[in-house]
Structure formats: structure tokens, C-alpha cells
């Protein structure tokens, strides 16, 4: 830190930071260290697989807390223990507490007993309004069959170049990406394809992106439903791959999805790092990526269920 304006002297002193200030690069680490120490004193253990996950397990029940900077989400099996923890939290920090209907843009709705739905309908409407698509005609699929196989960089005429340059392509793909990683695995492949052309999008790329926006218009209420009565004790994993789906690089695209309690908890659609010479090789690469994800989730679940073992 430098001396504030009006307080300089010839000795060229510097300031010693006694308290982290919002905006400084040290602030996030100081905050995380302070909050982590508080949780440790309350009996929580930080997960080795996810440092933002804390678990407390006692005879009275179990409590799980997830933290994203200064936004937290906590759940417990014992209501009394939860109230005691929130009371201790209020004494240490200035916080607001409410039932979790929204978290980081996600809408959390308890439909019936044992069922929870997460969605981003409000955010999706905001995205459509931002790009003037709130009154567009909806379509039933996010991408036409085989559209990803076409060449993405073709010679454009002046009108097409103006269309692709004037449309905020990067901004739109970024908005769709946040929607996709939150609650819309059905957008994973489309957003992945659109992300390959961020540097120099063609007119065809802009048309593909607008189709995804039109698809969102017709699927605003889509989300993920979790049911505690459906396979709640095991993970289900599926993987798939095409062969040479990217015409520009001849690389294949891997797809993987992991389900728990009847809903999707992890998904990805990503172009492979190397060129597969057979469909078998492409499938093995996709299966390998899916297996790594399942192994990580298995370790994470073990920490949650057996934190004291």
C-alpha cells in the first residue's frame, strides 16, 4: 500500500495492513481463513475434495454448509442444531438468514415431499430480454441435426460480416454458459460448439446462437428435479462420443452425465484433446473422462456420509 494522498513524507513510509479491505487481492484469502477458522471451532470439517464444502457430523445429526465467497447455503438433519449454529453465526458476522428459495441465480423449489427442483427461469428471461429475444418464436431443439459438422469459417459478404460483427456474440455465449452450468445440461453441447468460435464468429455461428435463444424461449421452465425416493443411494453415469465431429480439427466430442436421486448432478460436453482414429477410441476417451468425474464424486460423497470415519 502507498501513503494516501496528502500524507506523504520524505521517509517514504508504507502502510501496514491490520484489517483486510474489500477489493484488495489479500481480502478473499483473509476472509476465507477467518470464516474457515470459525467453522472449525463450530465442529465443521473442510472437505478435501471441495474446499468450499464443510461438514459437521455428530450423534444429534449432520450439518452441511457450502460457501461461495460470502454467500452460503446450509442444511441440517436436526433443526435445533441448525438454529444454534445460525445464532452463533449471527454473533460473529453480520448476516441475513432466510429460507433458500434462490442461491447464486438458482431457483430452489420444493415441489412435494422428497422432491426439489432447481431452475433458472428468471435468469433465462433476463437473457432473452437482454438480447431482444423475449418475443421470439420458440423452437423445439437447440441445434439442427448435423449443423456442427458444417465449416464455421466461410467467406462472408459485407452484409453477413456486419451481422456477425454487430451481434454481441461473446456476451451471449457467456450468458448461455452460466445458464448451462447451473441447471440446463440440455444446452451443454450447443454452448460447447458455439464457444469454439468466440474469436471470429461467422454469420452461420450467429444464426446457431440465435436458435439456442429461441429454444430457451420455449423451455423457460426447464430445470432439474431431485427425488429422494429414486435411487438415492447410488450414482448413475453415462458417456458417449461422436467420431471426428469437428470438421475443422477432426477431433471428437465427449459427453458425460452423472445422476443422483433421479436428477443430473454433473454433466459435460467437451471436444477431445487428440484426434481419435476409431469410434472405439473416441468412446474410451469419453468413458475415461466420465470415470474420473465419478471417482471424484464418490470421494466427495464418502466425506459427506462418513466424515468422522
Amino acid at each position: 500500500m502507498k501513503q494516501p494522498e496528502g500524507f506523504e513524507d520524505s521517509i517514504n513510509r508504507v502502510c501496514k495492513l491490520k484489517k483486510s479491505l474489500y477489493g484488495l487481492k489479500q481480502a478473499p484469502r483473509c476472509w476465507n481463513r477467518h470464516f474457515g477458522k470459525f467453522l472449525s471451532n463450530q465442529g465443521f470439517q473442510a472437505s478435501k475434495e471441495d474446499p468450499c464444502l464443510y461438514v459437521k457430523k455428530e450423534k444429534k445429526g449432520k450439518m452441511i454448509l457450502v460457501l461461495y465467497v460470502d454467500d452460503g447455503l446450509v442444511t441440517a438433519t436436526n433443526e435445533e442444531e441448525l438454529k444454534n449454529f445460525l445464532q452463533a453465526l449471527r454473533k460473529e458476522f453480520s448476516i441475513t438468514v432466510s429460507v433458500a428459495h434462490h442461491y447464486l441465480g438458482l431457483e430452489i423449489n420444493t415441489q412435494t415431499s422428497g422432491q426439489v427442483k432447481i431452475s433458472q427461469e428468471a435468469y433465462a428471461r433476463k437473457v432473452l430480454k437482454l438480447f431482444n429475444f423475449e418475443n421470439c418464436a420458440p423452437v423445439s431443439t437447440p441445434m439442427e441435426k448435423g449443423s456442427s459438422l458444417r465449416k464455421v469459417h466461410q467467406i462472408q459478404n459485407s452484409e453477413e460480416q456486419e451481422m456477425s460483427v454487430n451481434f454481441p456474440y461473446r456476451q451471449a455465449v457467456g450468458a448461455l454458459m452460466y445458464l448451462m452450468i447451473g441447471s440446463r445440461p440440455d444446452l451443454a453441447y450447443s454452448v460447447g460448439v458455439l464457444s469454439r468460435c468466440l474469436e471470429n464468429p461467422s454469420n452461420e455461428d450467429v444464426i446457431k446462437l440465435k436458435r439456442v435463444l429461441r429454444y430457451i424461449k420455449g423451455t423457460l421452465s426447464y430445470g432439474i428435479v431431485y427425488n429422494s425416493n429414486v435411487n438415492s443411494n447410488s450414482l448413475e453415469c453415462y458417456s458417449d462420443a461422436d467420431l471426428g465431429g469437428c470438421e475443422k480439427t477432426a477431433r471428437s466430442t465427449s459427453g458425460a452425465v452423472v445422476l443422483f436421486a433421479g436428477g443430473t448432478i454433473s454433466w459435460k460436453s467437451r471436444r477431445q484433446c487428440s484426434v481419435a482414429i476409431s469410434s472405439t477410441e473416441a468412446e474410451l476417451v469419453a468413458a475415461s473422462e466420465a470415470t474420473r468425474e465419478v471417482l471424484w464424486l464418490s470421494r466427495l460423497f464418502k466425506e459427506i456420509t462418513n466424515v468422522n470415519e
Side-chain angles (χ1 to χ4, degrees), residues 63-277:
M63 198 180 309
I64 300 174
L65 183 143
V66 290
L67 182 68
Y68 183 84
V69 191
D70 56 354
D71 289 317
L73 191 66
V74 61
T75 182
T77 56
N78 187 293
E79 188 173 354
E80 182 181 353
E81 285 294 308
L82 178 60
K83 289 181 179 179
N84 293 336
F85 170 70
L86 292 177
Q87 186 176 359
L89 199 61
R90 287 191 183 97
K91 289 182 179 179
E92 183 71 17
F93 305 100
S94 298
I95 62 170
T96 57
V97 179
S98 62
V99 178
H101 294 304
H102 296 85
Y103 184 67
L104 301 179
L106 294 175
E107 300 171 32
I108 306 173
N109 302 309
T110 303
Q111 295 180 324
T112 58
S113 178
Q115 279 194 351
V116 175
K117 178 184 178 181
I118 62 170
S119 62
Q120 292 171 282
E121 183 174 347
Y123 176 77
R125 292 184 184 276
K126 183 179 178 180
V127 170
L128 293 178
K129 184 176 181 180
L130 179 63
F131 300 104
N132 298 319
F133 271 75
E134 65 268 34
N135 297 319
C136 66
V139 293
S140 59
T141 58
M143 183 172 286
E144 292 181 294
K145 183 178 180 180
S147 61
S148 63
L149 304 180
R150 302 171 186 170
K151 292 184 178 179
V152 295
H153 293 290
Q154 299 177 345
I155 299 176
Q156 305 175 46
N157 57 41
S158 58
E159 184 178 348
E160 291 176 336
Q161 286 179 341
E162 184 179 356
M163 175 184 175
S164 60
V165 169
N166 292 337
F167 190 83
Y169 186 86
R170 283 190 178 186
Q171 184 183 2
V173 172
L176 292 176
M177 189 171 295
Y178 187 73
L179 183 63
M180 178 269 294
I181 64 175
S183 62
R184 296 296 297 270
D186 54 326
L187 299 177
Y189 178 73
S190 303
V191 173
V193 171
L194 295 172
S195 300
R196 300 171 188 175
C197 311
L198 295 176
E199 199 65 36
N200 184 27
S202 65
N203 179 51
E204 187 181 56
D205 298 325
V206 174
I207 293 174
K208 291 178 183 178
L209 189 149
K210 290 183 175 181
R211 181 181 178 88
V212 176
L213 292 173
R214 292 169 60 198
Y215 169 72
I216 292 174
K217 171 65 177 178
T219 58
L220 287 170
S221 62
Y222 277 25
I224 306 174
V225 178
Y226 300 102
N227 192 332
S228 61
N229 300 318
V230 179
N231 258 347
S232 57
N233 295 320
S234 62
L235 296 172
E236 295 181 54
C237 181
Y238 303 90
S239 67
D240 197 6
D242 61 6
L243 177 62
C246 180
E247 187 173 294
K248 186 180 179 182
T249 63
R251 285 186 281 171
S252 308
T253 299
S254 297
V257 61
V258 183
L259 292 86
F260 179 77
T264 310
I265 61 172
S266 177
W267 57 90
K268 64 171 61 180
S269 176
R270 185 171 58 187
R271 188 168 55 182
Q272 296 180 1
C273 299
S274 59
V275 178
I277 59 175

